[in-house]
Amino acid sequence: MKKKNILMIALSLCLIAVIAVSGTLAYFTDTTDASTNTFTMGKVNIKLWDETGIKPGEGEEVGVDHKENGVKTGIDYTGVMPGDTLDKDVWVSISYDSAPSYMGILVTFEGDDPVPNVTELEAMLKAALVANGVKDEWTYNPVTVDGKAGLLYVYHEIVRPDGQKATELPFITNIHIPEAWNNAYTSKTFNIKVKAYAVQADNFAETFEEGREKFVQMVEGKLKDSSGNPIGFEKVD
């Protein structure tokens, strides 16, 4: 047999061997089941309560629901006199499943001139907090929100719901009209506006004091993000 033929046969045999090996090539392997990571976001959820136990016909004062567009937004009092103590029960509830939060209540005056100033407002609210036994639980901070002067009362500690029931924070149960208000206030109408705010405590600040300061700045619209935009509050339905 010629050398050329022998070489061709040898190459053919090698090719067949390579094909055979390639067709049966395998490796030791292993795998696992897929791991699913589900992230359910927490929330901050509060409600402001503003009630009166006195209804028309039950006492000298008249407190009826104040409504805007058919929705109760407060209480209307009429025939108010200097020296009156008006039933006004204000508190905040935090949902049982809400995240730990900084909590605050903003109180402002607005209406006919002369509108009671912040000093008078602070004195009225201080007396109301003392009467309700919760003065030491709220720290007031003079603030300006949307161009209006007011007082922001910040709760003295981070509120931590227990996951079982709503946490209630009492504020005031009445408001006393100063005896010193004279004829300058005759037939005048003014509003005491109350609004509650809350922000998550986790990852907000290193200490409570730092967090309280940031919280006050946030209510005033002074706390900014990295782009210089104010960090605001959004209502959770």
Side-chain angles (χ1 to χ4, degrees), residues 178-200:
E179 289 84 352
W181 285 9
N182 55 28
N183 284 347
Y185 292 90
T186 299
S187 299
K188 299 294 184 180
T189 298
F190 66 89
N191 298 321
I192 296 178
K193 293 211 166 190
V194 184
K195 187 174 183 178
Y197 295 85
V199 66
Q200 69 181 65

Side-chain angles (χ1 to χ4, degrees), residues 3-207:
K3 290 183 178 181
K4 183 177 181 180
N5 291 335
I6 294 173
L7 181 60
M8 291 297 295
I9 292 171
L11 290 173
S12 298
L13 290 173
C14 289
L15 180 60
I16 292 171
V18 170
I19 293 173
V21 172
S22 298
T24 60
L25 188 64
Y27 298 98
F28 292 137
T29 63
D30 192 10
T31 187
T32 69
D33 294 332
S35 176
T36 301
N37 297 280
T38 301
F39 298 87
T40 301
M41 304 301 289
K43 63 181 179 180
V44 173
N45 190 7
I46 64 173
K47 182 175 180 179
L48 176 71
W49 300 84
D50 190 343
E51 306 288 344
T52 178
I54 304 296
K55 297 299 181 183
E58 294 183 358
E60 293 183 0
E61 67 180 69
V62 176
V64 298
D65 291 347
H66 177 87
K67 294 184 177 181
E68 295 180 9
N69 299 320
V71 178
K72 179 186 174 183
T73 59
I75 303 167
D76 286 339
Y77 298 91
T78 57
V80 178
M81 304 294 288
D84 279 350
T85 297
L86 307 175
D87 189 273
K88 186 173 183 61
D89 197 1
V90 178
W91 75 98
V92 178
S93 63
I94 298 89
S95 176
Y96 73 95
D97 57 353
S98 181
S101 307
Y102 289 87
M103 179 71 237
I105 296 177
L106 174 67
V107 186
T108 56
F109 265 143
E110 63 179 42
D112 296 339
D113 288 330
V115 177
N117 58 42
V118 173
T119 300
E120 291 176 300
L121 176 59
E122 190 274 326
M124 293 168 66
L125 291 174
K126 180 179 179 180
L129 290 167
V130 169
N132 199 24
V134 295
K135 174 181 175 293
D136 294 335
E137 296 181 11
W138 298 91
T139 302
Y140 82 92
N141 304 263
V143 293
T144 300
V145 179
D146 297 328
K148 297 177 181 177
L151 293 171
L152 177 65
Y153 287 80
V154 181
Y155 198 63
H156 70 105
E157 63 183 6
I158 293 172
V159 182
R160 303 181 185 276
D162 62 8
Q164 302 297 319
K165 61 181 180 180
T167 300
E168 294 187 351
L169 305 180
F171 188 58
I172 62 174
T173 55
N174 59 60
I175 195 81
H176 183 76
I177 305 301
E179 289 84 352
W181 285 9
N182 55 28
N183 284 347
Y185 292 90
T186 299
S187 299
K188 299 294 184 180
T189 298
F190 66 89
N191 298 321
I192 296 178
K193 293 211 166 190
V194 184
K195 187 174 183 178
Y197 295 85
V199 66
Q200 69 181 65
D202 294 340
N203 308 314
F204 187 66
E206 293 294 330
T207 65

Side-chain angles (χ1 to χ4, degrees), residues 211-227:
R212 179 174 57 194
E213 183 178 342
K214 287 180 64 176
F215 179 65
V216 173
Q217 292 174 349
M218 192 171 172
V219 172
E220 288 193 288
K222 295 179 180 179
L223 189 64
K224 307 293 180 65
D225 62 19
S226 58
S227 299

